[in-house]
Amino acid sequence: MIRILLAEDEQAMREYLARALEKSGYEVVAVDRGTEAVPLLEQQQFDLLLTDIVMPEMDGIELARHCSKVSPSTEVMFITGFSGVALRAGKSMPQAKILSKPFHLKDLVLEVERLFNKEAASGQI
């Protein structure tokens, strides 16, 4: 089963996203800040880091950079409501997918499916 680490500081959004991904068959571990995600990335294996960019203590870009060091096989997908921040994230992590808020849950699920179907087709999973 594909494991997703979700870092989202807004509780309602975090619960909403986690529920949608779990209903789609993914295992989701959800945290409310990047600093809470760091030890999980260091101690467990995740297939995807799904992170908000703007969060307290540690932003999603910094978290994604840390992820690429400690778990280079983990894919990264950003979610944000700020277009300027999305541009900065795209420059920092050009291989990462960026979803801009607001988005439909089906779009998120489709992007996750697309990401892992692409990898399965290329033999990476």
Side-chain angles (χ1 to χ4, degrees), residues 62-106:
E62 187 179 349
L63 176 59
R65 286 186 183 135
H66 184 74
C67 178
S68 69
K69 290 177 187 166
V70 300
S71 183
S73 65
T74 300
E75 296 287 340
V76 175
M77 187 179 298
F78 293 114
I79 49 178
T80 186
F82 303 96
S83 59
V85 173
L87 289 172
R88 185 168 65 99
K91 290 178 183 172
S92 297
M93 302 281 297
Q95 72 281 13
K97 175 70 182 161
I98 302 171
L99 282 176
S100 294
K101 295 177 189 174
F103 54 83
H104 293 284
L105 286 178
K106 68 177 184 175

Side-chain angles (χ1 to χ4, degrees), residues 23-96:
K23 282 184 178 181
S24 296
Y26 300 105
E27 180 182 341
V28 180
V29 176
V31 297
D32 68 352
R33 62 193 71 231
T35 53
E36 193 177 338
V38 167
L40 295 173
L41 284 169
E42 293 171 349
Q43 298 164 7
Q44 299 178 37
Q45 176 60 41
F46 293 94
D47 301 293
L48 174 65
L49 169 63
L50 177 61
T51 180
D52 191 3
I53 295 176
V54 179
M55 294 185 294
E57 296 178 15
M58 173 186 245
D59 71 24
I61 297 171
E62 187 179 349
L63 176 59
R65 286 186 183 135
H66 184 74
C67 178
S68 69
K69 290 177 187 166
V70 300
S71 183
S73 65
T74 300
E75 296 287 340
V76 175
M77 187 179 298
F78 293 114
I79 49 178
T80 186
F82 303 96
S83 59
V85 173
L87 289 172
R88 185 168 65 99
K91 290 178 183 172
S92 297
M93 302 281 297
Q95 72 281 13

